[in-house]
Amino acid sequence: MKILCVARNYGAHAAELHNPAPSEPVFFLKPDSALLPKNQPFFYPDFSNDVHHELEVVVRIDKVGKCIEERFASRYYSEVALGLDFTARDLQQQAKSAGLPWLLSKGFDGAAVVSPFMSLSSLDKGIDNLSFALYRNGERVQNGNTGDMLFSVDKLISYISRFMTLKTGDLIFTGTPSGVGPVAIGDVLVGELEGRQLLRCRVK
Ligand code: MG
């Protein structure tokens, strides 16, 4: 199983980190060991002093596909979740400055939090019009709608499947809206999708 993540898929987030909006999707991977086991807290790692939350909509691939045409992409998923793409921003900045890969800043243990999945049919909304929000200790810090993605879910699937076979169970973190920021030990992070609390994560 692989965890594909998209960088800079919301214009306002690209701008807040002083990155240009990309002309094609930018993907990176997290290893499956990055998945935070269910109901476990996120333990703040000792190699970073600046871990950021990035709340994202996560899509799970339902069947194997390669070179998927955009118009058929919706046949390859039926459920969505919320995820946290925890990022050691200090390590990422060092890597970016040196022109080196982001892997360690995004791929460490616990850096991928995934909520339970909901079927799109139960949400009664299209994948391109889902609102989601992150609350840090009760205060709303991120607020997005998948309609604001630079590259839609179907476009992302079509694009990446030209390069990599998508397999059942693969996850796609579809990018974070603006409002990313640091977390601290003791924080409680709550994510809502369409007003429903789906994700809860304690930082220890
Ligand atoms: Mg992200």
Side-chain angles (χ1 to χ4, degrees):
M1 180 268 245
K2 56 187 172 293
I3 305 171
L4 289 155
C5 305
V6 184
R8 306 173 192 171
N9 202 21
Y10 290 83
H13 169 63
E16 75 180 343
L17 293 185
H18 310 293
N19 291 312
S23 56
E24 295 201 302
V26 178
F27 279 90
F28 61 94
L29 283 164
K30 290 181 191 261
D32 59 4
S33 50
L35 278 175
L36 187 70
K38 287 208 184 329
N39 302 318
Q40 278 197 18
F42 171 77
F43 288 100
Y44 203 106
D46 61 6
F47 46 75
S48 175
N49 295 306
D50 195 25
V51 174
H52 279 204
H53 56 74
E54 296 191 1
L55 182 71
E56 315 202 357
V57 170
V58 178
V59 174
R60 181 164 57 199
I61 296 299
D62 278 349
K63 59 177 179 178
V64 177
K66 184 170 174 60
C67 296
I68 300 165
E69 284 185 52
E70 187 178 336
R71 64 196 166 115
F72 298 133
S74 64
R75 298 179 184 178
Y76 289 81
Y77 60 88
S78 59
E79 295 187 316
V80 293
L82 288 176
L84 285 168
D85 166 19
F86 276 127
T87 304
R89 195 69 75 200
D90 41 2
L91 297 191
Q92 186 194 31
Q93 201 50 52
Q94 287 168 22
K96 281 167 71 177
S97 300
L100 294 171
W102 294 343
L103 177 62
L104 298 182
S105 70
K106 296 270 198 181
F108 58 89
D109 286 359
V113 184
V114 181
S115 78
F117 279 80
M118 289 190 71
S119 70
L120 280 163
S121 54
S122 74
L123 281 164
D124 208 24
K125 279 270 192 109
I127 189 99
D128 291 328
N129 184 25
L130 297 175
S131 61
F132 57 109
L134 182 71
Y135 295 80
R136 178 184 176 217
N137 305 324
E139 181 195 350
R140 193 171 75 183
V141 287
Q142 290 195 267
N143 188 26
N145 187 290
T146 54
D148 295 325
M149 287 183 183
L150 298 176
F151 304 100
S152 69
V153 169
D154 290 353
K155 198 167 288 243
L156 293 172
I157 287 173
S158 175
Y159 182 87
I160 193 64
S161 69
R162 288 165 51 201
F163 300 87
M164 287 185 196
T165 299
L166 295 179
K167 294 186 169 181
T168 304
D170 285 352
L171 302 178
I172 303 177
F173 278 64
T174 57
T176 195
S178 61
V180 302
V183 298
I185 291 171
D187 279 357
V188 176
L189 303 170
V190 170
E192 287 184 355
L193 180 66
E194 287 293 313
R196 301 168 213 221
Q197 181 179 321
L198 262 196
L199 181 147
R200 189 172 189 279
C201 180
R202 285 177 298 129
V203 181
K204 289 186 92 168

